[in-house]
Amino acid sequence: MSFGRPEGYDEQARPRPLGVRIRPRIAAAAACVVLGLGLIGGAATGSWLIGDSGDGDAQDTFAAAGSLWHNIPVDQLFPPTVTGQGAGPGGADRIWTRIAVAPDSGCANAFDPLLRKALAPVGCERLLRATYIDATQSYVTTVGLLFTDADAAAMRSLDTSFTKEGLDRRTDLMPRPYAAKGTLAAGFGDEQRASWTISVLTDAPVVVYAVSGWADGRTVDEPEPAEEAIRSGDTTAVAQAGLGHEAQGLADRVERALRKNVGPSTEQSS
């Protein structure tokens, strides 16, 4: 990096280029102002991501997210077509088509008993589910949005439990598929579950999950959590088929749709 010479003359009386001179103290002060503004802006942007319960805007966002299940059309939460650029193995693109939407309901039959017990502390306000099929009609995936009764502190506590105890990776704590009759997912039952992911949000009273399997109804003896199935070098049948990517990719994009829909509600309330 090179800098222009200051105006005037050097020690040998040779002319130097003229320009505007900024004193060191003024430049340092300006830099501090810019840095301060950047930190403030970053903190504001991050409030939705980390769920800062001490911030009024974050509280408004948390509340707005909890009411989405009865304020937003299903096509906005579960789009008819979902595009996943780079969501497949090796960064391949994915396209999922929605083939069924479950009636909004409670959580009684949506989770394995132990998972239902683990989620019980945050309650179940409403459960929304939809099932998708990939472009090759080889894989089916049910994605769900569990809207809880919990406040921000309870959601953080649940997230801590899932993280520390590895509850999202236990095969006895899995979400169940929505097997809609008369669709390609009609045979997608508990024995067909291949991979899954569960995400406890701390900035919204929502648990996002997805569970995937083969569309031909084959049973799976050893389901594998998406976090492990998407790792490079995993040679299991589930990983090689990309079923971890199916679950993780679709869950991520439904979560993004959820967050996108919270934005306008927050802006209107602020």
Side-chain angles (χ1 to χ4, degrees):
M1 180 180 293
S2 61
F3 298 89
R5 297 177 181 274
E7 70 272 23
Y9 298 86
D10 63 14
E11 67 278 2
Q12 297 182 5
R14 291 178 297 191
R16 291 173 173 166
L18 298 176
V20 178
R21 185 172 185 176
I22 301 177
R23 296 185 178 183
R25 290 182 180 178
I26 296 176
C32 289
V33 170
V34 172
L35 178 59
L37 290 174
L39 292 174
I40 293 172
T45 301
S47 64
W48 163 235
L49 298 177
I50 65 175
D52 183 0
S53 59
D55 182 82
D57 289 342
Q59 292 176 347
D60 290 343
T61 299
F62 190 93
S67 64
L68 284 181
W69 66 269
H70 57 75
N71 291 334
I72 299 297
V74 67
D75 284 354
Q76 290 181 233
L77 292 175
F78 300 125
T81 302
V82 177
T83 300
Q85 294 184 344
D93 295 339
R94 281 287 187 268
I95 296 178
W96 298 281
T97 301
R98 193 185 70 202
I99 57 177
V101 176
D104 58 325
S105 65
C107 299
N109 300 312
F111 308 110
D112 283 347
L114 288 179
L115 177 56
R116 186 168 67 248
K117 183 177 180 180
L119 294 171
V122 296
C124 178
E125 173 68 20
R126 191 66 57 172
L127 177 65
L128 306 182
R129 295 176 293 167
T131 296
Y132 288 79
I133 193 163
D134 76 309
T136 67
Q137 298 191 352
S138 300
Y139 314 115
V140 285
T141 303
T142 292
V143 60
L145 295 171
L146 165 59
F147 289 85
T148 76
D149 298 317
D151 59 15
M155 294 302 292
R156 288 194 294 271
S157 177
L158 182 66
D159 178 60
T160 299
S161 295
F162 267 70
T163 300
K164 288 186 176 180
E165 300 174 32
L167 302 182
D168 56 341
R169 298 189 298 276
R170 286 177 47 174
T171 56
D172 56 347
L173 284 84
M174 292 173 61
R176 289 174 170 167
Y178 174 57
K181 296 180 180 180
T183 72
L184 292 172
F188 188 23
D190 289 355
E191 299 301 318
Q192 285 71 39
R193 293 176 294 183
S195 189
W196 78 99
T197 182
I198 303 172
S199 177
V200 179
L201 305 188
T202 57
D203 49 3
V206 181
V207 176
V208 183
Y209 70 86
V211 56
S212 63
W214 277 276
D216 60 9
R218 74 182 72 175
T219 60
V220 179
D221 294 329
E222 297 183 6
E224 187 174 11
E227 182 181 349
E228 297 176 8
I230 64 176
R231 290 175 181 169
S232 176
D234 192 326
T235 59
T236 65
V238 171
Q240 291 296 305
L243 284 160
H245 290 84
E246 296 293 308
Q248 189 67 63
L250 194 51
D252 285 348
R253 280 147 187 83
V254 167
E255 181 179 330
R256 292 178 195 176
L258 174 77
R259 294 177 183 278
K260 182 179 180 180
N261 281 295
V262 172
S265 300
T266 305
E267 292 171 1
Q268 291 170 6
S269 63
S270 62

